[in-house]
């Protein structure tokens, strides 16, 4: 199984996945040994976070920023599927998972399908969103929403995917996937997404 499917399997396993359940997920390298306080939290479901890395299948080598700043900034070769993974949650449990990879890739469903085994199903539940979240501006990030079922008896997990075309001087843009335990209906409604 892919690292992402392993991660989602733990996330979908219970109604509230305790932080410790993620300690030994195969294929995930944690940068943070334990959950840390999030000083930028916008609510209790985001009061803690834990970050790491995993590799998404289906990508090849590309130039990515080398992490240096200013005049020393450059590029290095890395697999485009090497993504940053962040668990977000309250003090007791993980409430959402975010993955960010370099380069915008709009083939969200294909990318997700590459990570899932044959008994998993993914279906579109929303797209063609009219507004960026929390604004009255036109949707520029091409947000789309999916329902993922990892097996016949598994609880579904919900995914939101979007791109940032303009990395500015930070790099080549990005693609973000956020996974939720329940359908993000309020988000979809606020952005005026068309349900599939």
């Amino acid at each position: 199984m892919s690292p992402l499917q392993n991660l989602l399997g733990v996330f979908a396993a219970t109604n509230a996945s305790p932080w410790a359940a993620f300690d030994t997920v195969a294929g995930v390298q944690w940068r943070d040994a334990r959950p840390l306080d999030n000083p930028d939290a916008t609510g209790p479901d985001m009061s803690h976070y834990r970050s790491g890395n995993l590799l998404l299948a289906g990508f090849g080598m590309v130039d990515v920023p080398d992490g240096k700043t200013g005049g020393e900034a450059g590029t290095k070769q890395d697999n485009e599927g090497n993504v940053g993974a962040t668990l977000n949650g309250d003090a007791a449990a993980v409430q959402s998972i975010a993955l960010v990879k370099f380069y915008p890739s709009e083939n969200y469903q294909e990318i997700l399908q590459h990570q899932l085994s044959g008994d998993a199903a993914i279906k579109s539940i929303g797209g063609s969103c009219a507004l960026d979240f929390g604004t009255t501006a036109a949707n520029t990030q091409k947000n789309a929403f999916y329902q993922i079922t990892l097996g016949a008896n598994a609880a579904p997990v919900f995914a939101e995917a979007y791109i940032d075309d303009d990395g500015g001087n930070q790099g080549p843009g990005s693609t973000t996937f956020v996974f939720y335990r329940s359908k993000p209906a309020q988000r979809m409604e606020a952005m005026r997404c068309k349900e599939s």
Side-chain angles (χ1 to χ4, degrees):
M1 279 198 276
S2 74
L4 179 57
Q5 181 152 350
N6 292 336
L7 193 64
L8 293 179
V10 174
F11 188 55
T14 63
N15 284 339
S17 301
W19 290 96
F22 294 88
D23 286 351
T24 58
V25 176
V28 181
Q29 295 78 45
W30 295 114
R31 283 193 300 275
D32 304 319
R34 58 182 174 71
L36 305 174
D37 288 339
N38 181 0
D40 302 321
T42 54
D45 283 358
M46 303 283 279
S47 65
H48 292 74
Y49 74 95
R50 184 181 187 188
S51 59
N53 289 82
L54 61 85
L55 184 65
L56 296 176
F59 292 97
M61 298 301 282
V62 292
D63 287 328
V64 298
D66 62 7
K68 296 179 182 167
T69 56
E72 296 179 9
T75 61
K76 64 178 181 177
Q77 281 276 299
D78 198 356
N79 189 305
E80 187 181 343
N82 192 8
V83 300
T86 305
L87 306 178
N88 294 294
D90 55 28
V94 175
Q95 303 297 336
S96 65
I97 299 171
L99 303 182
V100 181
K101 80 166 197 67
F102 284 118
Y103 292 98
S105 301
E106 292 177 43
N107 55 330
Y108 310 134
Q109 190 160 348
E110 183 182 328
I111 291 169
L112 290 170
Q113 198 72 59
H114 261 323
Q115 317 312 312
L116 304 175
S117 60
D119 61 343
I122 176 170
K123 72 174 186 177
S124 174
I125 59 168
S128 302
C129 303
L131 305 175
D132 280 340
F133 185 71
T135 74
T136 55
N139 182 263
T140 56
Q141 297 185 306
K142 301 185 176 157
N143 298 63
F145 295 84
Y146 301 93
Q147 178 178 310
I148 300 169
T149 308
L150 297 175
N153 299 317
V157 172
F158 297 88
E160 176 182 5
Y162 57 90
I163 60 167
D164 179 1
D165 270 328
D166 179 22
N169 52 11
Q170 299 298 314
S174 61
T175 306
T176 301
F177 295 92
V178 183
F179 300 92
Y180 306 98
R181 201 179 306 287
S182 56
K183 183 177 177 180
Q186 287 181 314
R187 242 181 116 71
M188 293 168 65
E189 186 177 333
M191 295 166 70
R192 295 190 198 152
C193 303
K194 291 191 173 86
E195 291 216 34
S196 303

